Amino acid sequence: MISLSCTNFLETEPTDFSSPDDFYNTEDQLNQALSGVYSTLAKDGTYARNLPVELALNTDEAFYKKNFTTYTNPAQYNYDAATPIIAACWKTLYEGINRANYLLANAHIPKMDETKRNVIKGEAMFLRAYYYFILVSMWGDVPLILEPTLDGKNVNIPKTPQREIYSFILREMTAAQSMVDKISDIGFSGRASKTTMQGILARVCLKMAGEPLKDVSKYELARAWADSVITSNEHELNADYTQIFKNHSSDQYDIKESMWEVEFWGNNLGNAYRAAGRIGNQFSIRTTHAEMYGYANVGATKKLFQLYTDPNDVRRDWNVAPFKYENNNTLIPVPHGPNDVFVRDAAKWRRDYETVLPRNVDFSPTNFPLLRYADVLLMYAEAENELNGPSDDAHEKLNMVRRRANAYEYVGANKITDKDDFRDTIIDERSRELCFEGLRKFDLIRWGKELFLGEMRLQQIDFENNAPTSPNMKEAHNAYGRVSERHLLFPIPASELSINKAMTQNKGW
Amino acid sequence: MKLNVFTGFRLQPKVYKFLLVMKIACFILLTSFLSVSASVYSQKISLHVNQATLKDVLKSLKQQTGYNFLYSTDILKESKPVSINVMNVELTEVLNRCFEDQALDFTIRDKTVVIKEKTKMDHKPLVQMGIQGKVTNLKGEPLEGVSIRLKGTNTYTLTDGEGEYLIKIPDGKGVLIFSYIGFTTREIAINDKKVLNVSLLEAPTKLNEIVVVGYGEVSRKDLTGAVGSVAIEELQKAPVRSFEEALAGRVAGVQVSSQDGQPGSTVDIVIRGANSVSQSNSPLYVIDGFPLEDPDNNMINPSDIASMEILKDASATAIYGARGANGVVIITTKGGVDGKAIISYDGYYGTQEITQRMELMNPYEFIKVLSERSSSTANSMYFAGGKTIDDYKDAVGFDWQDRIFKTAPMQNHNLSIRGGNKQTKYSLSGSIFEQDGVLINSGYNRYQARLRLDQQVNNSLKLGVNINYSGLVNYGNSPGGNYNAALLYQAMAYRPISGNPNVNLEELEFDEEIEDQINNTRFNPVLSAQNELRERINNTLLANGYGEYSFRGFKLRISGGFSKDVRRNNTFNNSKTRSGSPRFPGAATNGVNGSVLYSEISNYVNENTLTWNKKVGKHSFTALGGFTVQGRKGTSFGANAIQVPNDNLGVSGLDEGVPNAITSTSTSSNLASFLGRFNYNYKSKYLLTASFRADGSSKFYKGNKWGYFPSAAVSWRFSQEDFMKPLSFISDAKLRASAGVTGNNRISDFAYMSTIDMSVTTSYPFNNQPSNAAVLGELRNLDLLWESTFQSDLGVDLSFLKDKITFSIDAYSKTTNDLLLYANLPTSLGYSRSFKNIGKIGNKGLEFSIYSMNLKTKNFSWSTNFNISLNRNKVIELAENEEVLLSPVTWHSQFNQLSPYIAKIGMPIGMFYGLIWEGNYQLEDFDGSLLKSTIPTNGDNRQDIRPGDIKYRDITGDGIVNFDDYTIIGNPNPKHFGGLSNNFTYKGFDLNVFFQWSYGNDILNANRYIFEGRGGVIQNYFASYVNRWSVDNPTNEHFRVGGSGPAAYSSKVIEDGSYLRLKTVQFGYSFNPKLIKRLKIDAIRLYASAQNLYTWTSYSGFDPEVSARASALTPGFDWSAYPRARTITFGLNITL
């Protein structure tokens, strides 16, 4: 008798949380779990901050503009395996992967419409593959885990060769894009649509065709996926380049151009939701004015400014701030002098266009673009050039992007005849069009380590010889000077390495 | 993938089997008790006679007991009349008293008492002019080794093993002195007697004092385990709110450290070193029999405490099983007394003040640093209109410490009435305690009442209740927030002077002259502190009741208890506070804001124990068996609001603001236990204790719920052995040895389960609408088990010179296995931590305690208590593959990512970790303006390093100082700690002086990072920073302005935290009772008390007893800690 009552007495049930064993039972719960997989995109470790800022800067187009000195600042190539920001990115991505693993392992449970179930599964599969794509681009070989983590017993998890991971990504995204909705049916840019997945597939293929795999057979596939986006009739360029980014700040969607965005919302004030990001204040023009605080952590390089060889190109004075605020603490713009080419702030996203008031010093509602139609066009042009040289087709896609920006087109006498020249033009054009969108370092590395290291060296020299003397310029110069071959990959975080004995450190770290 | 694999479980074979075994064991135990009890003479006698005949007395005894008395009437004729006055005592005891002076003897067989003439000592030759007899204790047990001396002569003898003696007396006259250790000496006139049987009374000495242990009590001489008793009357001399504040240094092996000096701040009590790495190391508290893991000890009025015992070794703690590994503190409150009601008032009033201030720079030095740091700022703020630095030579500035610290009153009033009769005893007490903090707008109040009733219903049944209610109000902001949010930082860093003579900084709400300094001091810290509402209200009820039924050598005790803590935290920031002002950029967007958080914790317990006592000749046995259940429930609910329109309503106006986050939680856990203990005692010479507890907890998954905790101890009082006889100066000597296993279950109630969180903070805003997002929270571990500690202890207790000096030494060794470690995981699993039973910690130590009655004359006495403890802690194993565990500390954004603590295998848990500081770069380290290539950098770029910059040791020798050069730079654990207490009395005066110390522990004084060079641009610094590097002053002490290098922990701010504190002094005078008798007052005593009177230390901060981020992994960190006050009070104690 005692034994029976005792057994019950010691069986308490939690009243404050759900356990995964009792979750995933309804369609609503699957959707909540899917939101959980998406929310990985909006963490500080990923796109709320680290991926577009700390882990993407000091390229030939942008640099970290603070002279804040600590031993570790990845934005200034000052880091090692113990650097928390790098560990946070790794951890956040794997958390998202585990959330997707749980969802996919349980997606069969609810009774629901199969098409809807497939959409949920497709998005989860795609996101999981996308997170692996970021991991493999940044770290090379990483553990490929596709089952939910049920306990912490096995801590020794070996790396999977990146070639296998890439083929997993291709396979998975290819399957996913056939399961999900068109963007015109979704109606906003926060969900990964069929064409979004196709566009990202083109990006994956271009990466595979470039370094380190150099699987040039993938150019064909890259062009094919880009082509399927272009021929879907779902997308077109926004006639006003600047409007794309004003939309990001003001909670407007443009599903034609801005195909996939990380969604941020609100200002983390006045309600309990914490859904705001940091794009607005990190990329802002510097001011400490209470209405519109901007840290201006990102500076545009002289090179970027000068890439806009056409004075009519609207992109220059939108992406690179043509003015600063008087005394850094007002909202009175003062134009930069024509030779102030090192000190201009990145200005692609401007806090004036934020409609959520008051503006929080530290948080903003500005969405961050993960894929734009212009990128798909440039990817098409790049792949076509690699396959067939500077064809009319390649030119047309390039010119579509330039035409919209009011820059001169490569037509007639301007037409590029040499394949290498066309590639160089693409390299520049991607910076002109896509600067600050977290792609440059990724692009430079896939185009080859010589290009990447060479550009870093050129920047070092340019800053050393031409930049004005100030602590932040000096720090930027030092940052470029630190770059070496080991920076092609990030170090495996110490938090992983110290416990996972099957793990090995990347070369040079 | 199978998630539901565990749903099929039904019965736990292990549990079932255990219960079966318990049942059988109980049955066997019970039947054997019953068969034995038939022969026990356990009748209790009450007898009140004066000069009655022995015959009448025996008649009365026969009536009361039903025993037969066999004797021939003749032999009673010679008997002497008997006077006896006893209540509820054993038959043998009464008989002993009756026959003490008779020439008769008795024996008891079955239920028959046979009375005969005393044997004529046939086996010994009868000596003329001699006297013989038997010496026993009150229970009739013979005492061996009693010394019998003929007064005024050297004639003496000792009793033999049967308690018998024979002594030659020349003339049949004189007085015999019977003396025996632990007993009151008796002098008896011979008066021509030939036979003199004597019983001796146990003296109330330390050896006989009753020590409360788990589920019972025992006299100290029969103790087998390591149990420290707090000298409670000494502790009660300290003018403090809670016993925790006065406990440090009182008992060997108990390390007490409070986080800082704030009224009500957490006190960490660690017994014999930290066992657990990531979990709580605090002991289990047993308050009047009610085991509680995390009571708010402020609810107990220290003067209600009757006794306090600290159970230290496994033999003592294993009876508390899964909660015993961190030691057990047993607190018993005062009960009523038999006799007339005693009404007592005790009250004191006094003041507290801080013992020292930090010396800050004067205006001149402050402006000098500012102009070195930023000449443009200095120019615009201080040198307008052609002023120069010299104009500030004699300027007088504010010391903001004057404004935030104050002399604070403190008062306490206790009123109690205690009384009763033989059946009913009652105790009713109440108290009011009010303490202002030395920091403005902080303090602690307690309003408390307690009732205890004990009722003897009849000879076998006793009932009682004990109820305590406390209302606690703790208010005031904690000064130790992050960097510039910390109140002490704001006050000390605030600029001492304005450049504008028309500006009175003290009256300003907001310092507008400082531009663009979001991270600096601009909001008036005094104003902010005065207007912030931080209120923690705790209403606690603790109620216990018991019934005790005694029958035939058994005692059944059933008790129940209930406790409830209802807590309410109120926070409100009005527009005149830093966090609510529209003027402050960081706060502007929230506006006036506040929150209320309610939480409730309730505990209930039911304990049932059966104790059996049996004495067979010189062998005595005690057995205890029991079953207990305990449950705990916790809930909380809270809400906060921002942009509250009405400043004046406080938290009542939160409903008018914009609702923000809501907190809502609930949890529960249950514990069921079986326990047993067996004691064997042979003549208090050989003692054995064995105990066992089985704990079943809801905190673990099926199959792991039950944990088993055995222990055993032996002790040998070798002073009772013949070979010790010649060493008569040793009055008692005991050797103790024990070993056992105890557990620790301090994890959250459902730590074994995986969780899914769905919080508004993890939502994802699809289409500009936040939608609920379910994310994985904690990772389960179904294998989770109790953390178990194996401890062995070897102790020696010695008493010298009739207990005038007692001495104890204990050596112990503990190994904690299966640590409940919140272990790091490889984050590729998607989780960064989970609970695991992994890792191993060792503690070894020595403890000494000495009590000495140095002098005792009619008018003067002096006694001393001294103890010292040494503990060595070692990490033996961490999580899988893990060699080191680094622990960051949150206090400053530049430092938060760095770890000043390391737990490394083979070292103590929380060692300081950082760079070795080597002064400053000097001019000779440079070639021109560039640092020589042979000299390592400090982490800054070589070309940026200037003379006067901070310099560290390059351990790796790679020319660059970075993380690789981190090493162990200090040890926060003391080499030894202890206390020394002296009590003096002279006529009506009494004086207690108590010292407490800690030696060899290091402190990381993070204040010095900020106040010796690394602060904001416009802030004041410690005066010590005047001695900084310049071309004219090439010191190695402090770096130049701007020469701080990258943020790094280093040995520069590691300081020796050793201290010796004159902790408590009380001086009192009691009026002569004869003088006050006519006032119908029994006693009046006046006294003065002081706490923290003086501290000897080389530590440069406010106080060396500090641990602002206290945990086993991060001890001894000082950042903006609330300074400890010196308290001086005057009191009055009246007893009616």
Side-chain angles (χ1 to χ4, degrees), chain A residues 15 149 152-153 271 478 496 499, chain B residues 660 666 828-829 836 881 941:
Chain A
T15 50
T149 300
K153 278 182 203 164
N271 57 64
N478 290 337
E496 176 79 27
I499 301 166
Chain B
N660 214 347
S666 67
S828 59
L829 289 179
K836 286 188 176 183
N881 306 328
N941 295 307

Side-chain angles (χ1 to χ4, degrees), chain B residues 247-304:
Chain B
L247 192 60
R250 303 281 179 181
V251 179
V254 181
Q255 193 181 357
V256 182
S257 50
S258 52
Q259 298 184 357
D260 59 23
Q262 181 157 28
S265 85
T266 309
V267 178
D268 290 299
I269 296 175
V270 176
I271 297 170
R272 293 187 163 180
N275 297 325
S276 201
V277 174
S278 57
Q279 303 310 107
S280 167
N281 278 297
S282 69
L284 176 72
Y285 291 89
V286 180
I287 301 168
D288 290 315
F290 196 153
L292 291 167
E293 282 169 38
D294 50 0
D296 182 342
N297 285 322
N298 290 303
M299 73 179 168
I300 303 173
N301 176 1
S303 59
D304 273 354

Side-chain angles (χ1 to χ4, degrees), chain B residues 26-73:
Chain B
C26 277
F27 179 73
I28 294 170
L29 215 57
L30 272 169
T31 47
S32 57
F33 284 3
L34 289 170
S35 62
V36 172
S37 69
S39 62
V40 171
Y41 39 92
S42 63
Q43 294 283 38
K44 298 280 188 179
I45 313 284
S46 297
L47 194 60
H48 309 279
V49 289
N50 194 20
Q51 295 290 312
T53 65
L54 185 57
K55 200 176 169 181
D56 288 343
V57 171
L58 293 181
K59 241 185 222 167
S60 155
L61 290 178
K62 185 182 167 164
Q63 275 174 5
Q64 285 200 38
T65 62
Y67 275 39
N68 283 318
F69 287 77
L70 289 184
Y71 48 86
S72 69
T73 21

Side-chain angles (χ1 to χ4, degrees), chain B residues 429-446:
Chain B
S429 61
S431 69
I432 294 172
F433 174 89
E434 291 183 341
Q435 177 184 19
D436 276 17
V438 290
L439 204 59
I440 54 171
N441 191 17
S442 70
Y444 207 108
N445 299 333
R446 175 179 58 221

Side-chain angles (χ1 to χ4, degrees), chain A residues 248-460:
Chain A
H248 290 157
S249 296
S250 57
D251 285 334
Q252 303 294 312
Y253 296 103
D254 169 10
I255 58 173
K256 298 269 184 201
E257 160 97 36
S258 190
M259 299 170 64
W260 188 27
E261 296 169 8
V262 186
E263 299 237 32
F264 295 104
W265 179 87
N267 54 3
N268 287 7
L269 295 171
N271 57 64
Y273 290 107
R274 293 288 171 268
R278 297 175 185 276
I279 302 303
N281 56 54
Q282 291 291 315
F283 285 94
S284 53
I285 301 169
R286 174 145 178 80
T287 176
T288 58
H289 194 275
E291 259 177 49
M292 213 165 78
Y293 207 92
Y295 284 103
N297 282 344
V298 182
T301 60
K302 176 181 127 193
K303 178 184 172 185
L304 177 64
F305 181 79
Q306 292 178 345
L307 271 181
Y308 297 102
T309 45
D310 184 342
N312 297 319
D313 190 331
V314 298
R315 295 175 299 187
R316 186 189 76 182
D317 284 352
W318 180 257
N319 291 335
V320 182
F323 65 88
K324 61 179 179 180
Y325 289 116
E326 193 177 66
N327 296 335
N328 279 345
N329 60 1
T330 67
L331 293 180
I332 305 160
V334 180
H336 276 299
N339 298 321
D340 291 346
V341 290
F342 280 93
V343 298
R344 297 180 185 225
D345 295 328
K348 197 164 211 165
W349 296 279
R350 300 187 184 180
R351 300 207 73 175
D352 345 12
Y353 294 95
E354 288 177 15
T355 48
V356 179
L357 300 177
R359 294 182 189 89
N360 190 330
V361 171
D362 287 310
F363 296 95
S364 91
T366 303
N367 284 3
F368 186 77
L370 294 176
L371 183 67
R372 285 202 289 117
Y373 187 53
D375 189 0
V376 176
L377 293 174
L378 290 175
M379 287 194 283
Y380 183 97
E382 182 181 347
E384 166 66 13
N385 180 55
E386 296 300 333
L387 291 167
N388 300 320
S391 64
D392 286 349
D393 195 7
H395 270 91
E396 175 48 24
K397 301 298 186 293
L398 172 63
N399 284 334
M400 281 168 76
V401 173
R402 289 186 63 83
R403 192 152 58 226
R404 186 260 304 266
N406 206 26
Y408 61 77
E409 295 177 47
Y410 294 102
V411 288
N414 273 339
K415 230 172 148 187
I416 303 161
T417 52
D418 184 71
K419 183 175 175 177
D420 290 343
D421 287 348
F422 192 89
R423 186 188 300 122
D424 287 346
T425 307
I426 287 288
I427 286 172
D428 289 346
E429 193 62 32
R430 283 187 70 84
S431 199
R432 281 187 283 257
E433 175 67 26
L434 302 167
C435 58
F436 314 133
E437 293 180 40
L439 294 167
R440 190 62 178 172
K441 195 190 237 169
F442 165 86
D443 280 339
L444 288 173
I445 290 172
R446 76 180 166 90
W447 286 321
K449 72 178 179 201
E450 283 77 18
L451 180 74
F452 171 68
L453 294 173
E455 288 294 342
M456 298 299 101
R457 208 55 67 226
L458 286 173
Q459 288 303 317
Q460 184 194 8

